[in-house]
Amino acid sequence: MRMRQLLICLIAFCMLLSTGCFPHSRVTSPEPPTSEQHSVPVKTTGNVSPWTNGAATTWPPHQSGPDTGTPDLGILPKSAQQHVNRDEAKQHSITRKDKQADRKKETIRFTLHADGNTKQEKWTSRTKTAKVHTAQSTQSARSAQSRKSQSKQQQFKLSLAQLRMKYPHFFKLRGSASGKQKVALTFDDVPDHIITPLVLDILKEHHIQATFFLVGSRVKQYPQIVRRMVDEGHMIGNHSMSHPLLTKLSMPAFTTQVLNTEHIIEQVIGYKPRFFRPPYGAINEEQLRWAGKHGYIVVNWDVDSKDWKGLSGAEIEQLVMSNVEPGSIVLQHAGGSPQNGYLRGTLLALPRIIKKLQAKGYDFVTVPDLFHDQKEKKES
């Protein structure tokens, strides 16, 4: 019985010790240091808190709490907690301001970049616009200069009659009217395989020599007809390569027309013709000077039969007989169109014209004979 009472007392005593009912069994909570304590320096070593006056309290505070990675502020004095809170608030404020400054810098950087792109686009656009305006202005200036040049050329453009008076030595419309009555029959746009042989037959029948102005592209097609012309005593002239309106061509294109035809004819007949007739009789002063410089005589006509219009034989005969004079050069055609009936009037009128002119005392001569000149071109 006595042993049980002692055991109960021992258990009660242990419980009292564990609950801290005795004053010295409790751990004294740290108090904030007073002014006197601050005036006396206290050495702290190890884990002794500077606010416990030497008591063995764990320090720093975060080691006494659970291992969460943050300090346990519950064991700190209130002033220390306020100090830490102010530091944290200040740190958060600095961090927030830094982030705001970074965002502001990024915004400014983006704005400057965007503004730079916009300025670059505007500058590029202005540059392109300026280039377009410059090109347009240059083109306008060139067009104006070209129109001015053309206007001057047109203003001082000479007629065929004026060109003949200015360049009488190598631009001919007719021969001399003095002396014996002579007339030269000429045929353009040859050869072809229909009309040209028929015209050659008529001339052969009447023992007449004429002058044929050849188109280079047709000489390639019918070289045998060209050889027949030469064999029967007719003269050959140059009439361009493709029968263009020469006044619409540049000088290089003009010279190509003349020289290519000359080369083709030379291969067939063995010489370069001296006489050149421009298609439609059209030639400008620059082309005429070039021809004269390079040994050609440019020859047109003073009597146009207008057979190319499809006139009847009687109409052609009337036109020729009413206009022919001593020294005249008569224009007719002996090829050029595949149409049925084209130049039928020429075939009908030609024998009657020959007979009537012979009856009037005219002699039929070639163009070189009319001008007492040679058939070959004079090389410059």
Side-chain angles (χ1 to χ4, degrees):
M1 184 69 177
R2 188 175 179 82
M3 287 295 293
R4 185 166 41 181
Q5 291 178 349
L6 288 174
L7 183 59
I8 291 172
C9 290
L10 180 60
I11 292 170
F13 181 76
C14 291
M15 292 177 66
L16 289 173
L17 287 175
S18 63
T19 57
C21 293
F22 295 96
H24 294 286
S25 65
R26 298 178 181 174
V27 178
T28 306
S29 300
E31 295 293 335
T34 62
S35 60
E36 288 92 4
Q37 291 171 337
H38 277 295
S39 63
V40 179
V42 178
K43 292 184 180 179
T44 59
T45 60
N47 295 329
V48 180
S49 171
W51 291 309
T52 59
N53 196 17
T57 305
T58 302
W59 187 262
H62 68 272
Q63 293 182 356
S64 64
D67 189 13
T68 60
T70 59
D72 185 3
L73 299 180
I75 64 173
L76 294 178
K78 184 180 294 186
S79 61
Q81 293 179 14
Q82 292 175 353
H83 180 73
V84 172
N85 290 338
R86 284 196 302 271
D87 288 343
E88 289 181 351
K90 185 176 181 180
Q91 184 64 32
H92 287 312
S93 176
I94 293 173
T95 303
R96 187 168 60 253
K97 289 181 179 179
D98 290 343
K99 290 182 178 180
Q100 291 176 351
D102 291 341
R103 285 196 296 270
K104 186 174 181 181
K105 289 179 180 179
E106 187 65 25
T107 302
I108 293 173
R109 188 180 298 110
F110 176 79
T111 303
L112 290 174
H113 181 71
D115 185 60
N117 289 341
T118 303
K119 289 182 177 179
Q120 179 67 24
E121 292 175 358
K122 290 182 178 179
W123 181 85
T124 303
S125 177
R126 287 197 298 269
T127 302
K128 290 182 178 179
T129 303
K131 288 181 178 179
V132 171
H133 288 167
T134 302
Q136 291 176 348
S137 300
T138 303
Q139 185 64 30
S140 299
R142 289 177 179 174
S143 299
Q145 186 176 3
S146 176
R147 289 194 297 269
K148 186 176 180 180
S149 177
Q150 292 177 358
S151 177
K152 286 184 177 180
Q153 290 179 359
Q154 292 176 357
Q155 183 178 358
F156 296 105
K157 183 178 179 180
L158 300 179
S159 66
L160 291 177
Q162 290 172 324
L163 289 174
R164 179 177 176 271
M165 293 179 64
K166 187 173 182 179
Y167 304 101
H169 298 295
F170 52 84
F171 186 31
K172 308 290 186 177
L173 298 180
R174 54 171 293 120
S176 174
S178 61
K180 193 175 182 180
Q181 296 187 121
K182 296 180 181 181
V183 61
L185 298 180
T186 64
F187 297 90
D188 285 6
D189 302 349
V190 293
D192 76 3
H193 65 293
I194 299 175
I195 303 298
T196 306
L198 296 177
V199 170
L200 288 173
D201 290 342
I202 295 172
L203 295 175
K204 183 177 181 180
E205 180 182 353
H206 293 84
H207 307 286
I208 302 297
Q209 278 72 48
T211 304
F212 291 85
F213 288 95
L214 278 55
V215 175
S217 60
R218 294 172 185 166
V219 175
K220 283 185 174 182
Q221 290 180 288
Y222 309 109
Q224 70 280 3
I225 299 178
V226 177
R227 293 190 187 98
R228 179 187 170 184
M229 294 175 185
V230 175
D231 292 341
E232 294 179 1
H234 305 291
M235 292 294 106
I236 303 300
N238 187 329
H239 197 44
S240 82
M241 187 68 187
S242 58
H243 205 276
L245 182 61
L246 298 179
T247 54
K248 297 293 184 180
L249 301 184
S250 64
M251 279 303 297
F254 164 76
T255 58
T256 298
Q257 286 281 333
V258 176
L259 296 176
N260 285 357
T261 306
E262 176 183 276
H263 177 69
I264 294 170
I265 292 174
E266 183 182 19
Q267 288 181 327
V268 176
I269 66 176
Y271 67 88
K272 299 175 182 179
R274 175 162 169 74
F275 292 88
F276 170 72
R277 174 173 285 174
Y280 314 104
I283 192 169
N284 61 40
E285 186 172 6
E286 184 180 13
Q287 295 167 348
L288 184 60
R289 287 202 309 268
W290 179 91
K293 181 179 178 181
H294 288 81
Y296 297 95
I297 291 180
V298 179
V299 54
N300 275 352
W301 58 87
D302 66 327
V303 178
D304 187 356
S305 69
K306 298 186 180 180
D307 57 353
W308 51 273
K309 288 186 175 182
L311 300 181
S312 66
E315 291 173 321
I316 294 173
E317 180 184 350
Q318 174 62 28
L319 280 172
V320 173
M321 296 306 299
S322 60
N323 290 285
V324 72
E325 295 176 352
S328 286
I329 298 175
V330 181
L331 170 64
Q332 295 175 280
H333 293 80
S337 175
Q339 296 178 358
N340 293 331
Y342 179 70
L343 299 180
R344 183 173 181 272
T346 299
L347 297 175
L348 295 174
L350 181 57
R352 296 199 292 264
I353 292 172
I354 293 174
K355 290 177 180 179
K356 286 187 176 182
L357 289 177
Q358 285 178 333
K360 289 187 175 183
Y362 280 92
D363 289 335
F364 292 94
V365 297
T366 63
V367 169
D369 290 337
L370 183 65
F371 296 112
H372 306 286
D373 209 320
Q374 63 189 49
K375 61 182 180 181
E376 297 91 353
K377 185 183 77 169
K378 293 180 179 180
E379 297 293 344
S380 56

